[in-house]
Amino acid sequence: MAGENLLPRRAALIGAAGVTGTLLARGAAAAVPEIDTGRVQGGRVEFPAWTAPTERPSSGPPNPMPMNERVGFAVVGLGRLTLEEILPAFGEAKKSRLVALVSGTPDKAARIASQYGVRPEAVYDYAAFDRIRDNPDIRVVYVVLPNSMHKEYTIRAAQAGKHVLCEKPMAVSSAEGQAMVDACRTTQRKLMIAYRCQYEPYNREVLRMVREATFGPARFIDAVNVQNQGDGEQWRFKRALAGGGSLPDVGLYCLNAARFLTGEEPVEVIARSFSPPGDARYAEVEETVNFMLRFPGGLVANCATSYGMHESRLLRVHTPGAAISLDGAFAYHDKQLRIAHRDGRAESVDERRIPMQNQFALEMDHMADCVLTDRKPHTPGEEGVQDHRVMEAIYQSASSGQPVALPRVEGLDHTRGPAPSPS
Ligand code: NAD
């Protein structure tokens, strides 16, 4: 029992402080109750509720899989996203573990490997990448490189027998994305695109309200994902590496949200784009895009994305009974979900708070789950190809000034696999 050894340990600690004799003399030690209430039940540690039923129940200990049973990941590309979000997220993952790194910078890779417990022989450079084939610890390769490199490393990973989790946007065109899907199909490897918002609890709560029509059917979506981009030398301003400007980088989140919330595919797009004249950063890619998507069920989504505005990441769904607002919808942290609706003679604005979970850990664990249970990922390669098709129509409309029609697709969620299981 977890609590059995507690009393002697406490007594020893008290003894070290030199007061044991006093306490024992007063009989206080014998009165110390058993404190550690944790018990192993069905393979997981559980604690009894410590708050009254009026309080939100705690989510309890996370119950991760034992390390040696988890799915091993190799992360390719040690840039900002990898170092700032993905590697720390392994610490919150339950089914995934970091086993290998791929980088072109040996001293950075060695430092990161030692920080995260990756064996030196599991650090590869790009030239030696295909040797991952001989490392059975690696089951998934997570591609976190500039967009134009996703195709090559996805296909090489699949040909080396590994499943692939690839960052968004999946490529720089729908044709490249389709080639990635085809290569993974031929090699019978899973391909998932890292659409983290589709695994994140606040976005999933909005999805639930839309799909269940909690406040009536969704009629209009407003989605804004803008940021003020700096240095012009970064790969994001180079068309050959990025494939476009703000649209594939951050506007993609608005597009993907409109698609996953409705489950439908747009049948028409109308777009305008703008770049400040004379700003050398926008010689190759656009700064701002405003696009409207019309869905077959009648919903319209109005989306705005930019590299030239202060950070704002807002998703708003308008229904007959309520306006649902998710501020920070596409951000890593800090989300606010507010629902405005009638309450008798008043207008009420409810703020809904959901326990935060690390969306990168959730996304990686979903991939691990798909490998362990042989399921199709919820956001497979086909989901990424469809976003590229719509983005191509957006660019076409922005350059022609005309609406662009897209093929009508029957049914819901035709590019998605089964929903992720609750964590
Ligand atoms: P970054 O510039 O910080 O890192 C890119 C990495 O690729 C670096 O380690 C760099 O050394 C390496 N690299 C290899 N060859 C390169 C080349 N020829 N040119 C430039 N870099 C090269 O970029 P990042 O922000 O980490 O983005 C990486 C990927 O992750 C992109 O596809 C991006 O769209 C995606 N991303 C996703 C999210 C998200 O929230 N899911 C957030 C940021 C970035």
Side-chain angles (χ1 to χ4, degrees), residues 77-82 105 108 126 142 144-147 149-150 167-169 194 196 235-236 241 249 253 332 360 363:
L78 300 183
R80 292 171 190 83
L81 182 69
T82 297
T105 316
K108 180 171 65 171
Y126 295 107
Y142 192 168
V144 200
L145 292 165
N147 307 341
M149 301 174 74
H150 293 182
E167 260 310 325
K168 52 50 64 182
R196 59 183 166 77
W235 63 262
R236 284 181 166 81
L241 286 164
D249 193 22
Y253 287 89
Y332 300 148
F360 291 94
E363 159 200 289

PDB file of all heavy atoms in Angstrom, residues 77-82 105 108 126 142 144-147 149-150 167-169 194 196 235-236 241 249 253 332 360 363, ligand 1:
ATOM      1  N   GLY A  77      14.224  17.767 -38.394  1.00  0.00           N
ATOM      2  CA  GLY A  77      14.248  19.240 -38.426  1.00  0.00           C
ATOM      3  C   GLY A  77      14.202  19.782 -37.015  1.00  0.00           C
ATOM      4  O   GLY A  77      13.195  19.619 -36.316  1.00  0.00           O
ATOM      5  N   LEU A  78      15.304  20.399 -36.597  1.00  0.00           N
ATOM      6  CA  LEU A  78      15.372  20.946 -35.227  1.00  0.00           C
ATOM      7  C   LEU A  78      15.247  22.459 -35.270  1.00  0.00           C
ATOM      8  O   LEU A  78      16.149  23.191 -34.853  1.00  0.00           O
ATOM      9  CB  LEU A  78      16.675  20.512 -34.552  1.00  0.00           C
ATOM     10  CG  LEU A  78      16.879  18.996 -34.417  1.00  0.00           C
ATOM     11  CD1 LEU A  78      18.180  18.687 -33.675  1.00  0.00           C
ATOM     12  CD2 LEU A  78      15.697  18.337 -33.713  1.00  0.00           C
ATOM     13  N   GLY A  79      14.117  22.935 -35.774  1.00  0.00           N
ATOM     14  CA  GLY A  79      13.842  24.374 -35.829  1.00  0.00           C
ATOM     15  C   GLY A  79      13.012  24.812 -34.643  1.00  0.00           C
ATOM     16  O   GLY A  79      12.914  24.123 -33.627  1.00  0.00           O
ATOM     17  N   ARG A  80      12.361  25.972 -34.814  1.00  0.00           N
ATOM     18  CA  ARG A  80      11.630  26.565 -33.689  1.00  0.00           C
ATOM     19  C   ARG A  80      10.479  25.692 -33.219  1.00  0.00           C
ATOM     20  O   ARG A  80      10.320  25.461 -32.018  1.00  0.00           O
ATOM     21  CB  ARG A  80      11.101  27.940 -34.088  1.00  0.00           C
ATOM     22  CG  ARG A  80      12.195  28.953 -34.295  1.00  0.00           C
ATOM     23  CD  ARG A  80      11.652  30.230 -34.905  1.00  0.00           C
ATOM     24  NE  ARG A  80      12.742  31.102 -35.319  1.00  0.00           N
ATOM     25  CZ  ARG A  80      13.391  30.994 -36.470  1.00  0.00           C
ATOM     26  NH1 ARG A  80      13.056  30.041 -37.335  1.00  0.00           N
ATOM     27  NH2 ARG A  80      14.374  31.811 -36.762  1.00  0.00           N
ATOM     28  N   LEU A  81       9.663  25.228 -34.143  1.00  0.00           N
ATOM     29  CA  LEU A  81       8.496  24.454 -33.712  1.00  0.00           C
ATOM     30  C   LEU A  81       8.939  23.205 -32.948  1.00  0.00           C
ATOM     31  O   LEU A  81       8.393  22.879 -31.892  1.00  0.00           O
ATOM     32  CB  LEU A  81       7.612  24.064 -34.902  1.00  0.00           C
ATOM     33  CG  LEU A  81       6.361  23.297 -34.466  1.00  0.00           C
ATOM     34  CD1 LEU A  81       5.405  24.186 -33.703  1.00  0.00           C
ATOM     35  CD2 LEU A  81       5.657  22.649 -35.643  1.00  0.00           C
ATOM     36  N   THR A  82       9.948  22.518 -33.476  1.00  0.00           N
ATOM     37  CA  THR A  82      10.432  21.300 -32.810  1.00  0.00           C
ATOM     38  C   THR A  82      10.925  21.612 -31.399  1.00  0.00           C
ATOM     39  O   THR A  82      10.528  20.946 -30.427  1.00  0.00           O
ATOM     40  CB  THR A  82      11.566  20.666 -33.634  1.00  0.00           C
ATOM     41  OG1 THR A  82      11.039  20.278 -34.896  1.00  0.00           O
ATOM     42  CG2 THR A  82      12.147  19.456 -32.932  1.00  0.00           C
ATOM     43  N   THR A 105      22.783  19.982 -38.385  1.00  0.00           N
ATOM     44  CA  THR A 105      23.683  20.768 -37.535  1.00  0.00           C
ATOM     45  C   THR A 105      24.132  19.905 -36.349  1.00  0.00           C
ATOM     46  O   THR A 105      23.409  19.780 -35.356  1.00  0.00           O
ATOM     47  CB  THR A 105      22.947  22.030 -37.021  1.00  0.00           C
ATOM     48  OG1 THR A 105      22.240  22.603 -38.115  1.00  0.00           O
ATOM     49  CG2 THR A 105      23.915  23.044 -36.455  1.00  0.00           C
ATOM     50  N   LYS A 108      24.113  21.264 -32.575  1.00  0.00           N
ATOM     51  CA  LYS A 108      22.750  21.471 -32.061  1.00  0.00           C
ATOM     52  C   LYS A 108      22.097  20.110 -31.770  1.00  0.00           C
ATOM     53  O   LYS A 108      21.497  19.907 -30.714  1.00  0.00           O
ATOM     54  CB  LYS A 108      21.929  22.273 -33.083  1.00  0.00           C
ATOM     55  CG  LYS A 108      20.501  22.544 -32.660  1.00  0.00           C
ATOM     56  CD  LYS A 108      19.775  23.532 -33.581  1.00  0.00           C
ATOM     57  CE  LYS A 108      19.590  22.995 -34.988  1.00  0.00           C
ATOM     58  NZ  LYS A 108      18.708  23.842 -35.811  1.00  0.00           N
ATOM     59  N   TYR A 126      20.953  14.601 -42.727  1.00  0.00           N
ATOM     60  CA  TYR A 126      20.050  14.390 -43.863  1.00  0.00           C
ATOM     61  C   TYR A 126      20.604  13.367 -44.857  1.00  0.00           C
ATOM     62  O   TYR A 126      19.848  12.584 -45.443  1.00  0.00           O
ATOM     63  CB  TYR A 126      19.745  15.733 -44.553  1.00  0.00           C
ATOM     64  CG  TYR A 126      18.968  16.659 -43.638  1.00  0.00           C
ATOM     65  CD1 TYR A 126      19.573  17.773 -43.060  1.00  0.00           C
ATOM     66  CD2 TYR A 126      17.643  16.400 -43.319  1.00  0.00           C
ATOM     67  CE1 TYR A 126      18.878  18.604 -42.192  1.00  0.00           C
ATOM     68  CE2 TYR A 126      16.936  17.229 -42.450  1.00  0.00           C
ATOM     69  CZ  TYR A 126      17.557  18.325 -41.894  1.00  0.00           C
ATOM     70  OH  TYR A 126      16.863  19.129 -41.038  1.00  0.00           O
ATOM     71  N   TYR A 142       8.342  12.217 -37.744  1.00  0.00           N
ATOM     72  CA  TYR A 142       7.586  13.481 -37.683  1.00  0.00           C
ATOM     73  C   TYR A 142       8.379  14.513 -38.476  1.00  0.00           C
ATOM     74  O   TYR A 142       9.476  14.919 -38.065  1.00  0.00           O
ATOM     75  CB  TYR A 142       7.429  13.895 -36.214  1.00  0.00           C
ATOM     76  CG  TYR A 142       6.443  15.030 -35.949  1.00  0.00           C
ATOM     77  CD1 TYR A 142       6.043  15.314 -34.651  1.00  0.00           C
ATOM     78  CD2 TYR A 142       5.923  15.819 -36.966  1.00  0.00           C
ATOM     79  CE1 TYR A 142       5.136  16.343 -34.373  1.00  0.00           C
ATOM     80  CE2 TYR A 142       5.022  16.849 -36.701  1.00  0.00           C
ATOM     81  CZ  TYR A 142       4.639  17.111 -35.413  1.00  0.00           C
ATOM     82  OH  TYR A 142       3.762  18.137 -35.156  1.00  0.00           O
ATOM     83  N   VAL A 144       9.240  18.036 -39.712  1.00  0.00           N
ATOM     84  CA  VAL A 144       9.039  19.423 -39.249  1.00  0.00           C
ATOM     85  C   VAL A 144      10.039  20.334 -39.979  1.00  0.00           C
ATOM     86  O   VAL A 144      10.811  21.062 -39.346  1.00  0.00           O
ATOM     87  CB  VAL A 144       9.183  19.527 -37.717  1.00  0.00           C
ATOM     88  CG1 VAL A 144       8.494  20.816 -37.210  1.00  0.00           C
ATOM     89  CG2 VAL A 144       8.583  18.328 -36.993  1.00  0.00           C
ATOM     90  N   LEU A 145      10.009  20.267 -41.288  1.00  0.00           N
ATOM     91  CA  LEU A 145      10.939  21.011 -42.143  1.00  0.00           C
ATOM     92  C   LEU A 145      10.190  22.098 -42.905  1.00  0.00           C
ATOM     93  O   LEU A 145       8.954  22.097 -42.913  1.00  0.00           O
ATOM     94  CB  LEU A 145      11.565  20.032 -43.150  1.00  0.00           C
ATOM     95  CG  LEU A 145      12.518  18.985 -42.571  1.00  0.00           C
ATOM     96  CD1 LEU A 145      12.765  17.868 -43.581  1.00  0.00           C
ATOM     97  CD2 LEU A 145      13.826  19.639 -42.146  1.00  0.00           C
ATOM     98  N   PRO A 146      10.907  23.007 -43.583  1.00  0.00           N
ATOM     99  CA  PRO A 146      10.216  23.944 -44.486  1.00  0.00           C
ATOM    100  C   PRO A 146       9.307  23.166 -45.454  1.00  0.00           C
ATOM    101  O   PRO A 146       9.631  22.043 -45.867  1.00  0.00           O
ATOM    102  CB  PRO A 146      11.373  24.630 -45.211  1.00  0.00           C
ATOM    103  CG  PRO A 146      12.505  24.590 -44.226  1.00  0.00           C
ATOM    104  CD  PRO A 146      12.366  23.268 -43.525  1.00  0.00           C
ATOM    105  N   ASN A 147       8.206  23.798 -45.830  1.00  0.00           N
ATOM    106  CA  ASN A 147       7.127  23.098 -46.543  1.00  0.00           C
ATOM    107  C   ASN A 147       7.571  22.340 -47.798  1.00  0.00           C
ATOM    108  O   ASN A 147       7.074  21.255 -48.081  1.00  0.00           O
ATOM    109  CB  ASN A 147       6.044  24.108 -46.932  1.00  0.00           C
ATOM    110  CG  ASN A 147       5.578  24.922 -45.736  1.00  0.00           C
ATOM    111  OD1 ASN A 147       5.787  24.514 -44.592  1.00  0.00           O
ATOM    112  ND2 ASN A 147       4.962  26.071 -45.976  1.00  0.00           N
ATOM    113  N   MET A 149      10.131  20.746 -48.352  1.00  0.00           N
ATOM    114  CA  MET A 149      10.907  19.531 -48.073  1.00  0.00           C
ATOM    115  C   MET A 149      10.038  18.394 -47.526  1.00  0.00           C
ATOM    116  O   MET A 149      10.518  17.280 -47.340  1.00  0.00           O
ATOM    117  CB  MET A 149      12.019  19.865 -47.065  1.00  0.00           C
ATOM    118  CG  MET A 149      12.967  20.943 -47.581  1.00  0.00           C
ATOM    119  SD  MET A 149      14.167  21.478 -46.334  1.00  0.00           S
ATOM    120  CE  MET A 149      15.276  20.061 -46.303  1.00  0.00           C
ATOM    121  N   HIS A 150       8.759  18.686 -47.263  1.00  0.00           N
ATOM    122  CA  HIS A 150       7.880  17.670 -46.669  1.00  0.00           C
ATOM    123  C   HIS A 150       7.725  16.452 -47.570  1.00  0.00           C
ATOM    124  O   HIS A 150       7.734  15.311 -47.103  1.00  0.00           O
ATOM    125  CB  HIS A 150       6.490  18.259 -46.387  1.00  0.00           C
ATOM    126  CG  HIS A 150       6.484  19.302 -45.310  1.00  0.00           C
ATOM    127  ND1 HIS A 150       5.340  19.931 -44.883  1.00  0.00           N
ATOM    128  CD2 HIS A 150       7.487  19.845 -44.559  1.00  0.00           C
ATOM    129  CE1 HIS A 150       5.624  20.801 -43.924  1.00  0.00           C
ATOM    130  NE2 HIS A 150       6.918  20.766 -43.714  1.00  0.00           N
ATOM    131  N   GLU A 167       4.092  17.948 -40.784  1.00  0.00           N
ATOM    132  CA  GLU A 167       3.568  19.268 -40.424  1.00  0.00           C
ATOM    133  C   GLU A 167       2.718  19.856 -41.551  1.00  0.00           C
ATOM    134  O   GLU A 167       2.823  19.464 -42.699  1.00  0.00           O
ATOM    135  CB  GLU A 167       4.719  20.219 -40.062  1.00  0.00           C
ATOM    136  CG  GLU A 167       4.935  20.372 -38.576  1.00  0.00           C
ATOM    137  CD  GLU A 167       3.655  20.688 -37.781  1.00  0.00           C
ATOM    138  OE1 GLU A 167       2.798  21.400 -38.306  1.00  0.00           O
ATOM    139  OE2 GLU A 167       3.510  20.210 -36.650  1.00  0.00           O
ATOM    140  N   LYS A 168       1.875  20.803 -41.175  1.00  0.00           N
ATOM    141  CA  LYS A 168       1.076  21.542 -42.140  1.00  0.00           C
ATOM    142  C   LYS A 168       1.868  22.720 -42.676  1.00  0.00           C
ATOM    143  O   LYS A 168       2.753  23.176 -41.956  1.00  0.00           O
ATOM    144  CB  LYS A 168      -0.256  22.005 -41.541  1.00  0.00           C
ATOM    145  CG  LYS A 168      -0.149  22.770 -40.212  1.00  0.00           C
ATOM    146  CD  LYS A 168       0.779  23.898 -40.044  1.00  0.00           C
ATOM    147  CE  LYS A 168       0.567  25.135 -40.879  1.00  0.00           C
ATOM    148  NZ  LYS A 168       1.623  26.176 -40.622  1.00  0.00           N
ATOM    149  N   PRO A 169       1.618  23.273 -43.837  1.00  0.00           N
ATOM    150  CA  PRO A 169       0.838  22.629 -44.882  1.00  0.00           C
ATOM    151  C   PRO A 169       1.589  21.389 -45.365  1.00  0.00           C
ATOM    152  O   PRO A 169       2.814  21.388 -45.334  1.00  0.00           O
ATOM    153  CB  PRO A 169       0.774  23.702 -45.974  1.00  0.00           C
ATOM    154  CG  PRO A 169       2.034  24.491 -45.784  1.00  0.00           C
ATOM    155  CD  PRO A 169       2.281  24.506 -44.312  1.00  0.00           C
ATOM    156  N   ALA A 194      -0.376  17.144 -39.429  1.00  0.00           N
ATOM    157  CA  ALA A 194      -0.398  17.633 -38.039  1.00  0.00           C
ATOM    158  C   ALA A 194      -1.371  18.811 -37.871  1.00  0.00           C
ATOM    159  O   ALA A 194      -0.951  19.930 -37.573  1.00  0.00           O
ATOM    160  CB  ALA A 194       1.015  18.014 -37.611  1.00  0.00           C
ATOM    161  N   ARG A 196      -3.148  20.195 -35.534  1.00  0.00           N
ATOM    162  CA  ARG A 196      -3.269  20.085 -34.080  1.00  0.00           C
ATOM    163  C   ARG A 196      -4.627  20.547 -33.552  1.00  0.00           C
ATOM    164  O   ARG A 196      -5.125  20.018 -32.566  1.00  0.00           O
ATOM    165  CB  ARG A 196      -2.127  20.851 -33.392  1.00  0.00           C
ATOM    166  CG  ARG A 196      -2.078  22.328 -33.750  1.00  0.00           C
ATOM    167  CD  ARG A 196      -0.896  23.033 -33.113  1.00  0.00           C
ATOM    168  NE  ARG A 196      -0.668  24.332 -33.693  1.00  0.00           N
ATOM    169  CZ  ARG A 196      -1.370  25.433 -33.435  1.00  0.00           C
ATOM    170  NH1 ARG A 196      -2.362  25.396 -32.556  1.00  0.00           N
ATOM    171  NH2 ARG A 196      -1.084  26.564 -34.031  1.00  0.00           N
ATOM    172  N   TRP A 235      12.722  31.453 -44.504  1.00  0.00           N
ATOM    173  CA  TRP A 235      12.216  30.666 -45.646  1.00  0.00           C
ATOM    174  C   TRP A 235      10.745  30.964 -45.914  1.00  0.00           C
ATOM    175  O   TRP A 235      10.258  30.766 -47.031  1.00  0.00           O
ATOM    176  CB  TRP A 235      12.462  29.167 -45.422  1.00  0.00           C
ATOM    177  CG  TRP A 235      11.752  28.561 -44.222  1.00  0.00           C
ATOM    178  CD1 TRP A 235      12.296  28.336 -42.989  1.00  0.00           C
ATOM    179  CD2 TRP A 235      10.397  28.120 -44.153  1.00  0.00           C
ATOM    180  NE1 TRP A 235      11.360  27.783 -42.147  1.00  0.00           N
ATOM    181  CE2 TRP A 235      10.177  27.634 -42.844  1.00  0.00           C
ATOM    182  CE3 TRP A 235       9.328  28.073 -45.050  1.00  0.00           C
ATOM    183  CZ2 TRP A 235       8.954  27.122 -42.415  1.00  0.00           C
ATOM    184  CZ3 TRP A 235       8.106  27.564 -44.631  1.00  0.00           C
ATOM    185  CH2 TRP A 235       7.936  27.105 -43.324  1.00  0.00           C
ATOM    186  N   ARG A 236      10.005  31.465 -44.932  1.00  0.00           N
ATOM    187  CA  ARG A 236       8.573  31.723 -45.137  1.00  0.00           C
ATOM    188  C   ARG A 236       8.304  32.776 -46.216  1.00  0.00           C
ATOM    189  O   ARG A 236       7.204  32.860 -46.731  1.00  0.00           O
ATOM    190  CB  ARG A 236       7.906  32.134 -43.817  1.00  0.00           C
ATOM    191  CG  ARG A 236       7.673  30.944 -42.887  1.00  0.00           C
ATOM    192  CD  ARG A 236       6.983  31.374 -41.603  1.00  0.00           C
ATOM    193  NE  ARG A 236       6.468  30.236 -40.867  1.00  0.00           N
ATOM    194  CZ  ARG A 236       7.180  29.449 -40.071  1.00  0.00           C
ATOM    195  NH1 ARG A 236       8.465  29.694 -39.913  1.00  0.00           N
ATOM    196  NH2 ARG A 236       6.624  28.432 -39.436  1.00  0.00           N
ATOM    197  N   LEU A 241      10.396  27.579 -51.120  1.00  0.00           N
ATOM    198  CA  LEU A 241      10.434  26.813 -49.866  1.00  0.00           C
ATOM    199  C   LEU A 241       9.075  26.778 -49.167  1.00  0.00           C
ATOM    200  O   LEU A 241       8.713  25.784 -48.538  1.00  0.00           O
ATOM    201  CB  LEU A 241      11.473  27.429 -48.916  1.00  0.00           C
ATOM    202  CG  LEU A 241      12.933  27.157 -49.279  1.00  0.00           C
ATOM    203  CD1 LEU A 241      13.865  28.098 -48.551  1.00  0.00           C
ATOM    204  CD2 LEU A 241      13.297  25.702 -48.970  1.00  0.00           C
ATOM    205  N   ASP A 249       0.546  29.263 -44.574  1.00  0.00           N
ATOM    206  CA  ASP A 249       1.177  29.198 -43.251  1.00  0.00           C
ATOM    207  C   ASP A 249       0.134  29.333 -42.143  1.00  0.00           C
ATOM    208  O   ASP A 249       0.008  28.434 -41.288  1.00  0.00           O
ATOM    209  CB  ASP A 249       2.236  30.300 -43.137  1.00  0.00           C
ATOM    210  CG  ASP A 249       3.136  30.104 -41.934  1.00  0.00           C
ATOM    211  OD1 ASP A 249       3.239  28.959 -41.449  1.00  0.00           O
ATOM    212  OD2 ASP A 249       3.741  31.091 -41.464  1.00  0.00           O
ATOM    213  N   TYR A 253      -5.305  27.543 -41.236  1.00  0.00           N
ATOM    214  CA  TYR A 253      -6.066  27.189 -40.024  1.00  0.00           C
ATOM    215  C   TYR A 253      -7.529  27.609 -40.159  1.00  0.00           C
ATOM    216  O   TYR A 253      -8.426  26.894 -39.709  1.00  0.00           O
ATOM    217  CB  TYR A 253      -5.454  27.855 -38.784  1.00  0.00           C
ATOM    218  CG  TYR A 253      -4.148  27.238 -38.361  1.00  0.00           C
ATOM    219  CD1 TYR A 253      -2.941  27.697 -38.864  1.00  0.00           C
ATOM    220  CD2 TYR A 253      -4.113  26.184 -37.452  1.00  0.00           C
ATOM    221  CE1 TYR A 253      -1.732  27.124 -38.489  1.00  0.00           C
ATOM    222  CE2 TYR A 253      -2.913  25.604 -37.069  1.00  0.00           C
ATOM    223  CZ  TYR A 253      -1.725  26.084 -37.595  1.00  0.00           C
ATOM    224  OH  TYR A 253      -0.540  25.501 -37.221  1.00  0.00           O
ATOM    225  N   TYR A 332      -1.296  28.346 -29.540  1.00  0.00           N
ATOM    226  CA  TYR A 332      -0.839  27.181 -28.765  1.00  0.00           C
ATOM    227  C   TYR A 332      -1.497  27.159 -27.383  1.00  0.00           C
ATOM    228  O   TYR A 332      -1.760  26.105 -26.835  1.00  0.00           O
ATOM    229  CB  TYR A 332       0.684  27.236 -28.544  1.00  0.00           C
ATOM    230  CG  TYR A 332       1.523  27.244 -29.809  1.00  0.00           C
ATOM    231  CD1 TYR A 332       2.736  27.930 -29.829  1.00  0.00           C
ATOM    232  CD2 TYR A 332       1.131  26.558 -30.953  1.00  0.00           C
ATOM    233  CE1 TYR A 332       3.533  27.925 -30.968  1.00  0.00           C
ATOM    234  CE2 TYR A 332       1.922  26.560 -32.097  1.00  0.00           C
ATOM    235  CZ  TYR A 332       3.110  27.253 -32.098  1.00  0.00           C
ATOM    236  OH  TYR A 332       3.894  27.259 -33.215  1.00  0.00           O
ATOM    237  N   PHE A 360      -0.057  19.341 -28.987  1.00  0.00           N
ATOM    238  CA  PHE A 360       0.962  18.580 -29.723  1.00  0.00           C
ATOM    239  C   PHE A 360       1.054  17.157 -29.157  1.00  0.00           C
ATOM    240  O   PHE A 360       1.208  16.195 -29.900  1.00  0.00           O
ATOM    241  CB  PHE A 360       2.317  19.284 -29.656  1.00  0.00           C
ATOM    242  CG  PHE A 360       2.335  20.564 -30.443  1.00  0.00           C
ATOM    243  CD1 PHE A 360       2.059  21.777 -29.835  1.00  0.00           C
ATOM    244  CD2 PHE A 360       2.597  20.548 -31.806  1.00  0.00           C
ATOM    245  CE1 PHE A 360       2.061  22.957 -30.561  1.00  0.00           C
ATOM    246  CE2 PHE A 360       2.594  21.720 -32.545  1.00  0.00           C
ATOM    247  CZ  PHE A 360       2.318  22.923 -31.926  1.00  0.00           C
ATOM    248  N   GLU A 363      -1.977  15.260 -30.417  1.00  0.00           N
ATOM    249  CA  GLU A 363      -1.836  14.925 -31.841  1.00  0.00           C
ATOM    250  C   GLU A 363      -0.851  13.752 -32.022  1.00  0.00           C
ATOM    251  O   GLU A 363      -1.139  12.794 -32.749  1.00  0.00           O
ATOM    252  CB  GLU A 363      -1.354  16.199 -32.525  1.00  0.00           C
ATOM    253  CG  GLU A 363      -0.681  16.089 -33.831  1.00  0.00           C
ATOM    254  CD  GLU A 363       0.133  17.370 -34.088  1.00  0.00           C
ATOM    255  OE1 GLU A 363      -0.476  18.412 -34.334  1.00  0.00           O
ATOM    256  OE2 GLU A 363       1.371  17.302 -34.029  1.00  0.00           O
TER     257      GLU A 363
HETATM  258  P1  NAD B   1      12.147  26.840 -38.660  1.00  0.00           P
HETATM  259  O1  NAD B   1      12.709  27.700 -39.717  1.00  0.00           O
HETATM  260  O2  NAD B   1      12.226  27.326 -37.250  1.00  0.00           O
HETATM  261  O3  NAD B   1      12.825  25.395 -38.713  1.00  0.00           O
HETATM  262  C1  NAD B   1      13.073  24.726 -39.914  1.00  0.00           C
HETATM  263  C2  NAD B   1      14.107  23.647 -39.704  1.00  0.00           C
HETATM  264  O4  NAD B   1      14.402  23.057 -40.969  1.00  0.00           O
HETATM  265  C3  NAD B   1      15.428  24.184 -39.145  1.00  0.00           C
HETATM  266  O5  NAD B   1      15.941  23.289 -38.193  1.00  0.00           O
HETATM  267  C4  NAD B   1      16.323  24.220 -40.358  1.00  0.00           C
HETATM  268  O6  NAD B   1      17.690  24.052 -40.019  1.00  0.00           O
HETATM  269  C5  NAD B   1      15.828  23.025 -41.144  1.00  0.00           C
HETATM  270  N1  NAD B   1      16.166  23.102 -42.555  1.00  0.00           N
HETATM  271  C6  NAD B   1      16.671  22.093 -43.254  1.00  0.00           C
HETATM  272  N2  NAD B   1      16.882  22.475 -44.519  1.00  0.00           N
HETATM  273  C7  NAD B   1      16.501  23.760 -44.621  1.00  0.00           C
HETATM  274  C8  NAD B   1      16.497  24.712 -45.675  1.00  0.00           C
HETATM  275  N3  NAD B   1      16.910  24.381 -46.913  1.00  0.00           N
HETATM  276  N4  NAD B   1      16.062  25.949 -45.425  1.00  0.00           N
HETATM  277  C9  NAD B   1      15.617  26.289 -44.199  1.00  0.00           C
HETATM  278  N5  NAD B   1      15.593  25.421 -43.149  1.00  0.00           N
HETATM  279  C10 NAD B   1      16.052  24.169 -43.362  1.00  0.00           C
HETATM  280  O7  NAD B   1      10.642  26.548 -39.070  1.00  0.00           O
HETATM  281  P2  NAD B   1       9.447  26.065 -38.156  1.00  0.00           P
HETATM  282  O8  NAD B   1       8.680  27.221 -37.689  1.00  0.00           O
HETATM  283  O9  NAD B   1       9.938  25.089 -37.142  1.00  0.00           O
HETATM  284  O10 NAD B   1       8.508  25.331 -39.242  1.00  0.00           O
HETATM  285  C11 NAD B   1       8.776  24.004 -39.680  1.00  0.00           C
HETATM  286  C12 NAD B   1       7.470  23.388 -40.214  1.00  0.00           C
HETATM  287  O11 NAD B   1       6.519  23.353 -39.167  1.00  0.00           O
HETATM  288  C13 NAD B   1       6.799  24.153 -41.352  1.00  0.00           C
HETATM  289  O12 NAD B   1       6.200  23.262 -42.235  1.00  0.00           O
HETATM  290  C14 NAD B   1       5.736  24.984 -40.656  1.00  0.00           C
HETATM  291  O13 NAD B   1       4.637  25.289 -41.481  1.00  0.00           O
HETATM  292  C15 NAD B   1       5.332  24.052 -39.559  1.00  0.00           C
HETATM  293  N6  NAD B   1       4.826  24.766 -38.374  1.00  0.00           N
HETATM  294  C16 NAD B   1       3.689  24.313 -37.791  1.00  0.00           C
HETATM  295  C17 NAD B   1       3.205  24.922 -36.661  1.00  0.00           C
HETATM  296  C18 NAD B   1       2.006  24.352 -35.961  1.00  0.00           C
HETATM  297  O14 NAD B   1       1.463  25.027 -35.095  1.00  0.00           O
HETATM  298  N7  NAD B   1       1.593  23.142 -36.270  1.00  0.00           N
HETATM  299  C19 NAD B   1       3.850  26.038 -36.123  1.00  0.00           C
HETATM  300  C20 NAD B   1       5.031  26.484 -36.730  1.00  0.00           C
HETATM  301  C21 NAD B   1       5.516  25.824 -37.849  1.00  0.00           C
END
